[in-house]
Structure formats: C-alpha cells, structure tokens
Amino acid sequence: MSIHAQSQAAHQPRFDPLRNVKKGDAAYHAVRRSILLGHTQPGEPLLEQRIAEQLNCSQGTVREALLRLEQDGLVLRRGYRGTVVSTTSMQEAAQMVEIRLQVESTGIRQSTMSIGRDILAELAAITSDMDEAVRALDFYRCSELDREFHMILFRQAALPSLEPILNRCALHIHRFTYLNAETMEPELSFGDNHRALLGVIGTRDPAAACESIKSHIGHVIERWAPLLVQELDRIHTHGTGLL
Amino acid sequence: MSIHAQSQAAHQPRFDPLRNVKKGDAAYHAVRRSILLGHTQPGEPLLEQRIAEQLNCSQGTVREALLRLEQDGLVLRRGYRGTVVSTTSMQEAAQMVEIRLQVESTGIRQSTMSIGRDILAELAAITSDMDEAVRALDFYRCSELDREFHMILFRQAALPSLEPILNRCALHIHRFTYLNAETMEPELSFGDNHRALLGVIGTRDPAAACESIKSHIGHVIERWAPLLVQELDRIHTHGTGLL
DNA sequence: CCGGTTAAGATTATCGATATCGATTTTGAA
DNA sequence: TTCAAAATCGATATCGATAATCTTAACCGG
C-alpha cells in the first residue's frame, strides 16, 4: 500500500504557503488517513524508509509520526522488526464507547457553563462543513470534522489531560465503525444532531446538555454500528457498577 | 532541575551488559521518573539539548522520549518554544479513576477466565518485590511495580488497544496521589491487597474478581488520596448514568 | 540429511550537523 | 521619540549517514 502526501510543496522555504505546517504532522496525518480509510490493512507492515520516500521526508520524521500513531493505538511497533497496523476488536470498541460516554458526559457539563459565543459559532461552522462533507460523500473528512467538533467542545471543560484519551477513543470508534459499516448511505441527520446539541448547550443547562450528548453518541452508534449496541448491552447486563 | 541516567554504560557495544535496552527508552524512563517524583515541577521547561547532555545521548533520542511523554500527558510540547511539565487537576484525576474502574472491571472479568498459573506466579513475584520496595521506602519503585502488576493482569484480557489508556490513567493517578499525599507512611497492606486479589482470581469467579478489584482501587484511593474520594462523590451525585 | 553457526540483507535506532522558527533586541528613518 | 523592519538568540525540526539489531539463508561438519 502506498501513502501519499496530500500536498507537495517545492522547497523554497521562504515563500512556502504551507509553512507552519510541520512535515512530521503531515506524515502523521497521511499515514493515519491511510489507516483509518482501510487503505493500509491491519497487519500490514509500515516501513520507515519507504514511507519517507513516498512523503519526501527523512526517516526520522516518519519515525516521529509512527511513534505518535503507536500512542494512538493505530500501529504496533515491534522494535527492530518493523511496525504493523493494529486492529480494534468489537470488545475494545465497546469499551471505548463506554469511556467516551463517561468522559464526554462530565466534560459537557463543564463546557456548557463556560463556553463562549465565539466557540459556539466555530462549532456551528464546523457543522456546516460537515454537511458539505456528507454531500460530497467524503466520509474521512466527515469523521475528522466530527472529532474536531467533539474535541473543541470538550476542550472548554478545561480537562486537558483527558483530551488525548477522548481523541483516542473517538479515533478507534470511527475506524471500527467505518471498517465494519453495513451501510454507507450519507446521513444529513448527522449535522442536525450536532445542531440540536448546540441548541441545548445554548440554554446553559448542564444536565440537559449531558443527556443530549449521551443520546447523540447513542444514536450515532445505533445508526452506524448496530453490532456495537449488542455488545454494549452485553456489558451492561454484567452490571458494571462504578465503585 | 537535572535529570540523571540511572546507569551509565561505557560505549563498548559488543560487551554492554545492558544491550537490548534502547537509549530512547532509558531517556523516557529517566525523564518520567523525574516528573513522577516531582523533581521536575509542573511548568518547568524541559530542553532537549540539555537533557541530551545529561543523559549522554543525542537530541533526537531525547525528542523521542518527550514525544512519548506528551502522549502520556505528562508534558506539553509547544512547538519551537519548548516543552513544559504538565499538571493533573483533581477533576482530571477523579475522571481517570472512573475510567480505570470502568476499564479494569471489564478487563479482570476476562482475565480471570483466561489467566494461567505462570502469570499468577509472576504477579505473586511482583507483589513480593513490592513488599521489599515498601520496606525500603522506595515509593517510585512501589508505584512502578503496582502499575506493572495491574498492566500484566489487564493484558490477559486481550484488549491491547485499551492498555495505553489504562497505563496513562494509572500514571496520572499515581502522580496526583504522590504529589498530593498527606501521609507517606509505608503500607504493607498494599501487597496484602494484591495477594487477596490474586486469591480471588484463583477461584475463577469473574464477578467476585470484579468486585475485588473495584474495592482494591477504592481502598488505595481512600488511603492515599482522601481528597479524591470527595471529588468522586461529587461526580456521582451528578448522576453519571451510562446511556 | 541435519542441527547449529555464521554471513548477508533488511530495518530500526542513534548521532551530529544544519535549517527553521518564534521571541527579543537592535536599528534606523520619519 | 517612536514604531516597524531587521538582526540576534535560544530552541526545535529535519536531514543524511552510520551503528545496532533481527531475520533469513547459506554453509559446514557429522
């Protein structure tokens, strides 16, 4: 499988319109995209040199990207024996949904109280972009925008060390959903869902916002990964009480 | 604050007794140790070059370590402006306890059914080492052994992509507890707790094991971070129902 | 034919040097 | 004097080369 940089800048550093974009970030996003779209399959080896050539950067830069992907849980690095793409089992995906519900529920209560008009506007803009991505059938962009929406919202809760955990969970849930989707029909209700959520947040009612986001996540799972619902039920009948 | 390598190997690669130990790992552990012990305080800057000199390795190797620490949430990298040590607020620590309870409860049910005698023996050995660390008042080693114990146990659940999340949470909880501890008295019951847990696991009763680990975690929190208990209660009165 | 040792090839790990960036200070002309 | 452009400085980001390591396959004595 070959990984392509999304934009190829010639090397006039002084007038590069894409300065400020670090190559390491570009490499990270390129490989991540390839994995999330299933273009590089679980188990497939990722070679630092090869990717470096494809992306026009050095091995060290790719190494940095792979290191980050390992922490995201998307690849497994096996020392001198190479790096391979990981998988997400249904059980893992279900647990990540649980964590996400737990973390986002707490987060949105804080966010609802501290969020400003400017951020709400930004979130509305992202939601519009998402409508566009849905119309263009660009599922990857759709998933990126969804993560961005949730992450910006969560950032308002000022719990920074939980952000990477939430991001990880969202990443894995998206990948699982995408790779196991039974249907690929575009879904405009996605954006409507976010708008409804923004509406509730606007009322500054933490409890309502909390319920709203839980139902949002629940609906998305039901719509895109009905198999996960089954697994989640199985978990709950085991009675995962909290302390 | 200065960071020291724990062992200094001369450079005869062929006869190095510590071969197989990568310098990057050494750097990662050295810096992490320094942060967890509070020797480098939150907000304190970490300079790649300076650490490289202290650890006798190159900047790139330290860079790799800092990258990993960022993913652990222990440092914040601010591009060309340097890296600083992060903090863990009480709210964040409380959320991490919740996540840990959620994840480990599920994990131990699986582990209880699939764990082998050899692993149980390994865990018992780690517990003995922990007794020793407690007697030596070596709290860092104690916390490392505790994490190792829980991680090995969780690994048996075969949910690999959740392992980094659990590890992160355990790391942050340990740091929070250590830096906010009101008492530092050694505690042999720590090891006894683990032995009791192993006993329950030996009965192969998943539900009992689940209760056992929840009570284990609860006891540790109560013992070392009573302030966290208060915060956890606050969370629960908000009614964090799951879907 | 076979078990073990070693050589070769492929890949990661580490290094030292250089390019780039962002903040601060200096400069210089209005 | 003042303010914007330029030089400076401390630091990261990237590179290309080399060392260390693992895997595989060739080799060899029995």
Side-chain angles (χ1 to χ4, degrees), chain A residues 13 20 47 59 63 77 79-80:
Chain A
N20 251 359
L47 306 190
Q59 180 211 356
R63 185 182 173 72
R77 286 167 59 73
Y80 292 93

PDB file of all heavy atoms in Angstrom, chain A residues 13 20 47 59 63 77 79-80, chain C residues 11-14 19-22:
ATOM      1  N   PRO A  13      11.692  27.466   1.091  1.00  0.00           N
ATOM      2  CA  PRO A  13      11.144  27.649   2.431  1.00  0.00           C
ATOM      3  C   PRO A  13      10.594  29.046   2.656  1.00  0.00           C
ATOM      4  O   PRO A  13       9.632  29.233   3.359  1.00  0.00           O
ATOM      5  CB  PRO A  13      12.354  27.388   3.343  1.00  0.00           C
ATOM      6  CG  PRO A  13      13.539  27.498   2.440  1.00  0.00           C
ATOM      7  CD  PRO A  13      13.082  27.093   1.096  1.00  0.00           C
ATOM      8  N   ASN A  20       4.709  26.640   8.638  1.00  0.00           N
ATOM      9  CA  ASN A  20       3.918  26.449   9.855  1.00  0.00           C
ATOM     10  C   ASN A  20       3.330  25.053   9.909  1.00  0.00           C
ATOM     11  O   ASN A  20       2.942  24.593  10.967  1.00  0.00           O
ATOM     12  CB  ASN A  20       2.785  27.470   9.973  1.00  0.00           C
ATOM     13  CG  ASN A  20       3.067  28.466  11.080  1.00  0.00           C
ATOM     14  OD1 ASN A  20       4.077  28.367  11.733  1.00  0.00           O
ATOM     15  ND2 ASN A  20       2.174  29.399  11.286  1.00  0.00           N
ATOM     16  N   LEU A  47       7.005   0.525   6.657  1.00  0.00           N
ATOM     17  CA  LEU A  47       8.456   0.676   6.693  1.00  0.00           C
ATOM     18  C   LEU A  47       8.844   2.152   6.685  1.00  0.00           C
ATOM     19  O   LEU A  47       8.418   2.912   5.815  1.00  0.00           O
ATOM     20  CB  LEU A  47       9.083  -0.036   5.495  1.00  0.00           C
ATOM     21  CG  LEU A  47       8.663  -1.502   5.362  1.00  0.00           C
ATOM     22  CD1 LEU A  47       9.493  -2.194   4.313  1.00  0.00           C
ATOM     23  CD2 LEU A  47       8.771  -2.203   6.704  1.00  0.00           C
ATOM     24  N   GLN A  59      13.763   9.638   7.265  1.00  0.00           N
ATOM     25  CA  GLN A  59      13.278   8.512   8.068  1.00  0.00           C
ATOM     26  C   GLN A  59      12.885   8.980   9.465  1.00  0.00           C
ATOM     27  O   GLN A  59      11.870   8.550  10.009  1.00  0.00           O
ATOM     28  CB  GLN A  59      14.388   7.459   8.161  1.00  0.00           C
ATOM     29  CG  GLN A  59      14.003   6.245   8.960  1.00  0.00           C
ATOM     30  CD  GLN A  59      15.213   5.638   9.648  1.00  0.00           C
ATOM     31  OE1 GLN A  59      16.346   6.089   9.461  1.00  0.00           O
ATOM     32  NE2 GLN A  59      14.981   4.618  10.435  1.00  0.00           N
ATOM     33  N   ARG A  63       9.526   8.365  11.518  1.00  0.00           N
ATOM     34  CA  ARG A  63       9.641   7.702  12.812  1.00  0.00           C
ATOM     35  C   ARG A  63       8.808   8.427  13.856  1.00  0.00           C
ATOM     36  O   ARG A  63       8.082   7.807  14.638  1.00  0.00           O
ATOM     37  CB  ARG A  63      11.120   7.741  13.203  1.00  0.00           C
ATOM     38  CG  ARG A  63      11.455   7.019  14.451  1.00  0.00           C
ATOM     39  CD  ARG A  63      12.944   7.202  14.722  1.00  0.00           C
ATOM     40  NE  ARG A  63      13.269   6.643  16.001  1.00  0.00           N
ATOM     41  CZ  ARG A  63      13.315   5.359  16.247  1.00  0.00           C
ATOM     42  NH1 ARG A  63      13.059   4.515  15.267  1.00  0.00           N
ATOM     43  NH2 ARG A  63      13.599   4.909  17.443  1.00  0.00           N
ATOM     44  N   ARG A  77       4.534  -1.043  17.202  1.00  0.00           N
ATOM     45  CA  ARG A  77       5.944  -1.015  16.853  1.00  0.00           C
ATOM     46  C   ARG A  77       6.624  -2.179  17.555  1.00  0.00           C
ATOM     47  O   ARG A  77       6.474  -2.358  18.758  1.00  0.00           O
ATOM     48  CB  ARG A  77       6.552   0.325  17.266  1.00  0.00           C
ATOM     49  CG  ARG A  77       6.112   1.460  16.346  1.00  0.00           C
ATOM     50  CD  ARG A  77       6.434   2.804  16.914  1.00  0.00           C
ATOM     51  NE  ARG A  77       7.865   2.972  17.156  1.00  0.00           N
ATOM     52  CZ  ARG A  77       8.774   3.149  16.230  1.00  0.00           C
ATOM     53  NH1 ARG A  77       8.419   3.206  14.968  1.00  0.00           N
ATOM     54  NH2 ARG A  77      10.043   3.296  16.539  1.00  0.00           N
ATOM     55  N   GLY A  79      10.036  -2.981  17.805  1.00  0.00           N
ATOM     56  CA  GLY A  79      11.477  -2.825  17.830  1.00  0.00           C
ATOM     57  C   GLY A  79      12.067  -2.916  16.442  1.00  0.00           C
ATOM     58  O   GLY A  79      11.513  -2.372  15.493  1.00  0.00           O
ATOM     59  N   TYR A  80      13.162  -3.618  16.327  1.00  0.00           N
ATOM     60  CA  TYR A  80      13.860  -3.685  15.053  1.00  0.00           C
ATOM     61  C   TYR A  80      13.111  -4.520  14.018  1.00  0.00           C
ATOM     62  O   TYR A  80      13.615  -4.727  12.936  1.00  0.00           O
ATOM     63  CB  TYR A  80      15.272  -4.281  15.260  1.00  0.00           C
ATOM     64  CG  TYR A  80      16.208  -3.389  16.039  1.00  0.00           C
ATOM     65  CD1 TYR A  80      16.343  -3.507  17.414  1.00  0.00           C
ATOM     66  CD2 TYR A  80      16.951  -2.428  15.391  1.00  0.00           C
ATOM     67  CE1 TYR A  80      17.200  -2.697  18.119  1.00  0.00           C
ATOM     68  CE2 TYR A  80      17.812  -1.604  16.086  1.00  0.00           C
ATOM     69  CZ  TYR A  80      17.936  -1.739  17.452  1.00  0.00           C
ATOM     70  OH  TYR A  80      18.793  -0.926  18.136  1.00  0.00           O
TER      71      TYR A  80
ATOM     72  P    DT C  11      12.963  -4.085   4.476  1.00  0.00           P
ATOM     73  OP1  DT C  11      11.594  -4.613   4.313  1.00  0.00           O
ATOM     74  OP2  DT C  11      13.535  -3.131   3.503  1.00  0.00           O
ATOM     75  O5'  DT C  11      13.062  -3.412   5.915  1.00  0.00           O
ATOM     76  C5'  DT C  11      12.765  -4.183   7.083  1.00  0.00           C
ATOM     77  C4'  DT C  11      13.221  -3.432   8.301  1.00  0.00           C
ATOM     78  O4'  DT C  11      14.657  -3.547   8.441  1.00  0.00           O
ATOM     79  C3'  DT C  11      12.930  -1.930   8.284  1.00  0.00           C
ATOM     80  O3'  DT C  11      11.977  -1.630   9.289  1.00  0.00           O
ATOM     81  C2'  DT C  11      14.260  -1.267   8.522  1.00  0.00           C
ATOM     82  C1'  DT C  11      15.117  -2.394   9.081  1.00  0.00           C
ATOM     83  N1   DT C  11      16.560  -2.231   8.787  1.00  0.00           N
ATOM     84  C2   DT C  11      17.454  -2.380   9.824  1.00  0.00           C
ATOM     85  O2   DT C  11      17.110  -2.649  10.959  1.00  0.00           O
ATOM     86  N3   DT C  11      18.771  -2.193   9.487  1.00  0.00           N
ATOM     87  C4   DT C  11      19.260  -1.877   8.234  1.00  0.00           C
ATOM     88  O4   DT C  11      20.470  -1.735   8.066  1.00  0.00           O
ATOM     89  C5   DT C  11      18.274  -1.735   7.201  1.00  0.00           C
ATOM     90  C7   DT C  11      18.718  -1.385   5.817  1.00  0.00           C
ATOM     91  C6   DT C  11      16.991  -1.918   7.524  1.00  0.00           C
ATOM     92  P    DT C  12      11.604  -0.094   9.664  1.00  0.00           P
ATOM     93  OP1  DT C  12      10.159  -0.068   9.880  1.00  0.00           O
ATOM     94  OP2  DT C  12      12.238   0.821   8.701  1.00  0.00           O
ATOM     95  O5'  DT C  12      12.322   0.091  11.068  1.00  0.00           O
ATOM     96  C5'  DT C  12      12.074  -0.865  12.092  1.00  0.00           C
ATOM     97  C4'  DT C  12      13.120  -0.775  13.178  1.00  0.00           C
ATOM     98  O4'  DT C  12      14.448  -0.817  12.613  1.00  0.00           O
ATOM     99  C3'  DT C  12      13.069   0.490  14.028  1.00  0.00           C
ATOM    100  O3'  DT C  12      13.359   0.119  15.380  1.00  0.00           O
ATOM    101  C2'  DT C  12      14.179   1.351  13.438  1.00  0.00           C
ATOM    102  C1'  DT C  12      15.197   0.293  13.081  1.00  0.00           C
ATOM    103  N1   DT C  12      16.163   0.668  12.031  1.00  0.00           N
ATOM    104  C2   DT C  12      17.513   0.648  12.312  1.00  0.00           C
ATOM    105  O2   DT C  12      17.954   0.342  13.417  1.00  0.00           O
ATOM    106  N3   DT C  12      18.335   0.992  11.261  1.00  0.00           N
ATOM    107  C4   DT C  12      17.948   1.347   9.995  1.00  0.00           C
ATOM    108  O4   DT C  12      18.784   1.621   9.142  1.00  0.00           O
ATOM    109  C5   DT C  12      16.522   1.349   9.765  1.00  0.00           C
ATOM    110  C7   DT C  12      16.005   1.721   8.410  1.00  0.00           C
ATOM    111  C6   DT C  12      15.711   1.018  10.768  1.00  0.00           C
ATOM    112  P    DA C  13      13.186   1.163  16.576  1.00  0.00           P
ATOM    113  OP1  DA C  13      12.740   0.388  17.746  1.00  0.00           O
ATOM    114  OP2  DA C  13      12.388   2.296  16.081  1.00  0.00           O
ATOM    115  O5'  DA C  13      14.654   1.711  16.848  1.00  0.00           O
ATOM    116  C5'  DA C  13      15.638   0.808  17.307  1.00  0.00           C
ATOM    117  C4'  DA C  13      16.917   1.546  17.669  1.00  0.00           C
ATOM    118  O4'  DA C  13      17.654   1.856  16.444  1.00  0.00           O
ATOM    119  C3'  DA C  13      16.772   2.858  18.419  1.00  0.00           C
ATOM    120  O3'  DA C  13      17.745   2.866  19.462  1.00  0.00           O
ATOM    121  C2'  DA C  13      17.039   3.929  17.358  1.00  0.00           C
ATOM    122  C1'  DA C  13      18.000   3.227  16.423  1.00  0.00           C
ATOM    123  N9   DA C  13      17.920   3.613  15.004  1.00  0.00           N
ATOM    124  C8   DA C  13      16.796   3.707  14.249  1.00  0.00           C
ATOM    125  N7   DA C  13      17.019   4.053  12.993  1.00  0.00           N
ATOM    126  C5   DA C  13      18.397   4.180  12.929  1.00  0.00           C
ATOM    127  C6   DA C  13      19.263   4.522  11.876  1.00  0.00           C
ATOM    128  N6   DA C  13      18.862   4.802  10.641  1.00  0.00           N
ATOM    129  N1   DA C  13      20.585   4.551  12.151  1.00  0.00           N
ATOM    130  C2   DA C  13      20.996   4.261  13.391  1.00  0.00           C
ATOM    131  N3   DA C  13      20.273   3.934  14.461  1.00  0.00           N
ATOM    132  C4   DA C  13      18.962   3.913  14.156  1.00  0.00           C
ATOM    133  P    DT C  14      17.877   4.098  20.504  1.00  0.00           P
ATOM    134  OP1  DT C  14      18.408   3.549  21.765  1.00  0.00           O
ATOM    135  OP2  DT C  14      16.613   4.873  20.496  1.00  0.00           O
ATOM    136  O5'  DT C  14      19.017   5.003  19.864  1.00  0.00           O
ATOM    137  C5'  DT C  14      20.336   4.479  19.772  1.00  0.00           C
ATOM    138  C4'  DT C  14      21.220   5.455  19.031  1.00  0.00           C
ATOM    139  O4'  DT C  14      20.801   5.541  17.657  1.00  0.00           O
ATOM    140  C3'  DT C  14      21.216   6.884  19.558  1.00  0.00           C
ATOM    141  O3'  DT C  14      22.483   7.116  20.152  1.00  0.00           O
ATOM    142  C2'  DT C  14      20.982   7.761  18.325  1.00  0.00           C
ATOM    143  C1'  DT C  14      21.213   6.802  17.171  1.00  0.00           C
ATOM    144  N1   DT C  14      20.420   7.080  15.945  1.00  0.00           N
ATOM    145  C2   DT C  14      21.069   7.357  14.772  1.00  0.00           C
ATOM    146  O2   DT C  14      22.280   7.381  14.686  1.00  0.00           O
ATOM    147  N3   DT C  14      20.252   7.596  13.690  1.00  0.00           N
ATOM    148  C4   DT C  14      18.880   7.590  13.678  1.00  0.00           C
ATOM    149  O4   DT C  14      18.264   7.822  12.649  1.00  0.00           O
ATOM    150  C5   DT C  14      18.249   7.287  14.939  1.00  0.00           C
ATOM    151  C7   DT C  14      16.757   7.262  15.040  1.00  0.00           C
ATOM    152  C6   DT C  14      19.043   7.054  15.995  1.00  0.00           C
ATOM    153  P    DA C  19      22.033  24.718   6.252  1.00  0.00           P
ATOM    154  OP1  DA C  19      22.319  24.695   4.808  1.00  0.00           O
ATOM    155  OP2  DA C  19      22.626  25.778   7.095  1.00  0.00           O
ATOM    156  O5'  DA C  19      20.452  24.741   6.438  1.00  0.00           O
ATOM    157  C5'  DA C  19      19.705  23.607   6.007  1.00  0.00           C
ATOM    158  C4'  DA C  19      18.272  23.721   6.493  1.00  0.00           C
ATOM    159  O4'  DA C  19      18.204  23.466   7.911  1.00  0.00           O
ATOM    160  C3'  DA C  19      17.634  25.089   6.277  1.00  0.00           C
ATOM    161  O3'  DA C  19      16.294  24.885   5.848  1.00  0.00           O
ATOM    162  C2'  DA C  19      17.704  25.744   7.657  1.00  0.00           C
ATOM    163  C1'  DA C  19      17.570  24.537   8.575  1.00  0.00           C
ATOM    164  N9   DA C  19      18.233  24.664   9.878  1.00  0.00           N
ATOM    165  C8   DA C  19      19.529  24.997  10.105  1.00  0.00           C
ATOM    166  N7   DA C  19      19.859  25.014  11.380  1.00  0.00           N
ATOM    167  C5   DA C  19      18.691  24.664  12.026  1.00  0.00           C
ATOM    168  C6   DA C  19      18.362  24.497  13.388  1.00  0.00           C
ATOM    169  N6   DA C  19      19.247  24.672  14.371  1.00  0.00           N
ATOM    170  N1   DA C  19      17.100  24.146  13.694  1.00  0.00           N
ATOM    171  C2   DA C  19      16.225  23.962  12.701  1.00  0.00           C
ATOM    172  N3   DA C  19      16.406  24.085  11.388  1.00  0.00           N
ATOM    173  C4   DA C  19      17.674  24.440  11.124  1.00  0.00           C
ATOM    174  P    DT C  20      15.372  26.087   5.410  1.00  0.00           P
ATOM    175  OP1  DT C  20      14.465  25.585   4.361  1.00  0.00           O
ATOM    176  OP2  DT C  20      16.229  27.273   5.184  1.00  0.00           O
ATOM    177  O5'  DT C  20      14.496  26.357   6.718  1.00  0.00           O
ATOM    178  C5'  DT C  20      13.771  25.282   7.287  1.00  0.00           C
ATOM    179  C4'  DT C  20      13.192  25.716   8.613  1.00  0.00           C
ATOM    180  O4'  DT C  20      14.219  25.810   9.604  1.00  0.00           O
ATOM    181  C3'  DT C  20      12.500  27.087   8.594  1.00  0.00           C
ATOM    182  O3'  DT C  20      11.113  26.839   8.779  1.00  0.00           O
ATOM    183  C2'  DT C  20      13.138  27.853   9.747  1.00  0.00           C
ATOM    184  C1'  DT C  20      13.810  26.752  10.556  1.00  0.00           C
ATOM    185  N1   DT C  20      15.037  27.137  11.322  1.00  0.00           N
ATOM    186  C2   DT C  20      15.059  26.967  12.689  1.00  0.00           C
ATOM    187  O2   DT C  20      14.119  26.525  13.309  1.00  0.00           O
ATOM    188  N3   DT C  20      16.231  27.341  13.298  1.00  0.00           N
ATOM    189  C4   DT C  20      17.361  27.854  12.678  1.00  0.00           C
ATOM    190  O4   DT C  20      18.345  28.145  13.336  1.00  0.00           O
ATOM    191  C5   DT C  20      17.264  27.995  11.253  1.00  0.00           C
ATOM    192  C7   DT C  20      18.433  28.547  10.506  1.00  0.00           C
ATOM    193  C6   DT C  20      16.130  27.645  10.646  1.00  0.00           C
ATOM    194  P    DC C  21      10.046  28.006   8.707  1.00  0.00           P
ATOM    195  OP1  DC C  21       8.790  27.417   8.192  1.00  0.00           O
ATOM    196  OP2  DC C  21      10.669  29.163   8.042  1.00  0.00           O
ATOM    197  O5'  DC C  21       9.809  28.365  10.246  1.00  0.00           O
ATOM    198  C5'  DC C  21       9.454  27.312  11.141  1.00  0.00           C
ATOM    199  C4'  DC C  21       9.599  27.807  12.558  1.00  0.00           C
ATOM    200  O4'  DC C  21      10.983  28.034  12.863  1.00  0.00           O
ATOM    201  C3'  DC C  21       8.880  29.122  12.841  1.00  0.00           C
ATOM    202  O3'  DC C  21       7.820  28.862  13.746  1.00  0.00           O
ATOM    203  C2'  DC C  21       9.955  30.040  13.425  1.00  0.00           C
ATOM    204  C1'  DC C  21      11.050  29.065  13.823  1.00  0.00           C
ATOM    205  N1   DC C  21      12.445  29.589  13.784  1.00  0.00           N
ATOM    206  C2   DC C  21      13.207  29.600  14.969  1.00  0.00           C
ATOM    207  O2   DC C  21      12.692  29.207  16.010  1.00  0.00           O
ATOM    208  N3   DC C  21      14.468  30.068  14.925  1.00  0.00           N
ATOM    209  C4   DC C  21      14.988  30.481  13.766  1.00  0.00           C
ATOM    210  N4   DC C  21      16.249  30.922  13.782  1.00  0.00           N
ATOM    211  C5   DC C  21      14.245  30.466  12.563  1.00  0.00           C
ATOM    212  C6   DC C  21      12.984  30.016  12.609  1.00  0.00           C
ATOM    213  P    DG C  22       6.638  29.924  13.944  1.00  0.00           P
ATOM    214  OP1  DG C  22       5.405  29.168  14.194  1.00  0.00           O
ATOM    215  OP2  DG C  22       6.730  30.915  12.857  1.00  0.00           O
ATOM    216  O5'  DG C  22       7.033  30.670  15.298  1.00  0.00           O
ATOM    217  C5'  DG C  22       7.268  29.886  16.455  1.00  0.00           C
ATOM    218  C4'  DG C  22       7.777  30.775  17.561  1.00  0.00           C
ATOM    219  O4'  DG C  22       9.170  31.098  17.324  1.00  0.00           O
ATOM    220  C3'  DG C  22       7.059  32.123  17.707  1.00  0.00           C
ATOM    221  O3'  DG C  22       6.828  32.315  19.091  1.00  0.00           O
ATOM    222  C2'  DG C  22       8.037  33.129  17.109  1.00  0.00           C
ATOM    223  C1'  DG C  22       9.377  32.488  17.406  1.00  0.00           C
ATOM    224  N9   DG C  22      10.452  32.788  16.468  1.00  0.00           N
ATOM    225  C8   DG C  22      10.360  32.907  15.102  1.00  0.00           C
ATOM    226  N7   DG C  22      11.507  33.156  14.522  1.00  0.00           N
ATOM    227  C5   DG C  22      12.419  33.203  15.572  1.00  0.00           C
ATOM    228  C6   DG C  22      13.815  33.435  15.563  1.00  0.00           C
ATOM    229  O6   DG C  22      14.555  33.652  14.598  1.00  0.00           O
ATOM    230  N1   DG C  22      14.346  33.388  16.858  1.00  0.00           N
ATOM    231  C2   DG C  22      13.622  33.145  17.990  1.00  0.00           C
ATOM    232  N2   DG C  22      14.301  33.136  19.136  1.00  0.00           N
ATOM    233  N3   DG C  22      12.311  32.932  18.017  1.00  0.00           N
ATOM    234  C4   DG C  22      11.777  32.976  16.772  1.00  0.00           C
TER     235       DG C  22
END
